Amino acid sequence: MEIYLIRHTAPAIESGICYGFSDVDVADTFEEEVALIRTKLPAGSFDVYTSPLQRCRKLAAALFGEVAISDDRLQEMNFGDWEMKPWESIGRAELQKWADDFVIEKVPGGESYEDLYTRSMEMIAELIEKGNDAVLVTHGGVIRSVLAHVTNTPLVDSFEIKVNYGRISHLHVEDDQIKVIFYNS
């Protein structure tokens, strides 16, 4: 079984803004980025799933038409009260409390990285049980958490795994074992 994880293209948001769960649109470079992704897509028949956020839905539709199944588990981390605020405007003490243990510390009004990891892995387990080749059009946090699981990287160290916009990661599943074929390609 093959699973391809595709990160959405560049979002239309200025640098330094905290966003995750917010429904940010795609940047003006969308069409060029889609063209590049198409050159890297594998041939075959896939079940296609997407985050319901428009930056993923638009990419899924551009690549696969309207066949993608929307799944909330594929959304980016919910930064709660911090969503759409400049990082520099978030109180230092509040930000430091989260940064000191971001894996289990929930963002005020949001979720923890562990929450994102749990829902991401629930989705992967469900796909493995179905056994069909699949493409997931999703976000960096989801992809990074899945790759951390597969590579036995502790979540606290997983931000060393680079996941760029518009890149594909490929997982191979056999006998319930998952291995990374490539990532961030």
Side-chain angles (χ1 to χ4, degrees), residues 21 50-52 70-76 119:
F21 232 56
T50 184
S51 160
S70 181
D71 194 302
D72 289 345
R73 294 174 292 183
L74 294 175
Q75 291 186 86
E76 185 57 279
R119 63 181 161 82

Side-chain angles (χ1 to χ4, degrees), residues 77-82 94-95 97-99 101-116 118:
M77 187 166 152
N78 182 349
F79 284 98
D81 298 347
W82 300 350
E94 190 176 36
L95 190 56
K97 180 181 179 195
W98 174 74
D101 197 6
F102 69 91
V103 172
I104 62 170
E105 184 71 32
K106 290 183 187 297
V107 173
E111 66 183 338
S112 69
Y113 188 44
E114 186 175 57
D115 293 335
L116 176 140
T118 299

Side-chain angles (χ1 to χ4, degrees), residues 32-86:
E32 296 88 43
E33 291 178 83
V34 169
L36 182 60
I37 295 167
R38 276 194 185 110
T39 67
K40 298 179 180 188
L41 282 179
S45 176
F46 302 94
D47 291 346
V48 181
Y49 300 88
T50 184
S51 160
L53 300 179
Q54 67 179 318
R55 57 193 185 267
C56 291
R57 281 187 298 105
K58 286 182 177 183
L59 179 57
L63 296 173
F64 303 101
E66 297 300 325
V67 300
I69 299 165
S70 181
D71 194 302
D72 289 345
R73 294 174 292 183
L74 294 175
Q75 291 186 86
E76 185 57 279
M77 187 166 152
N78 182 349
F79 284 98
D81 298 347
W82 300 350
E83 287 281 337
M84 301 306 291
K85 291 183 179 178

Side-chain angles (χ1 to χ4, degrees), residues 2 13 19 33 36 38 40 71 100 125 130 163 173 178:
E2 311 305 318
I13 191 164
Y19 72 97
E33 291 178 83
L36 182 60
R38 276 194 185 110
K40 298 179 180 188
D71 194 302
D100 285 344
K130 285 183 181 178
V163 182
V173 182
I178 310 170

Side-chain angles (χ1 to χ4, degrees), residues 161-176:
I161 301 171
K162 300 298 177 209
V163 182
N164 297 333
Y165 296 123
R167 298 302 176 103
I168 301 173
S169 297
H170 177 192
L171 307 177
H172 177 75
V173 182
E174 189 172 328
D175 299 326
D176 291 332

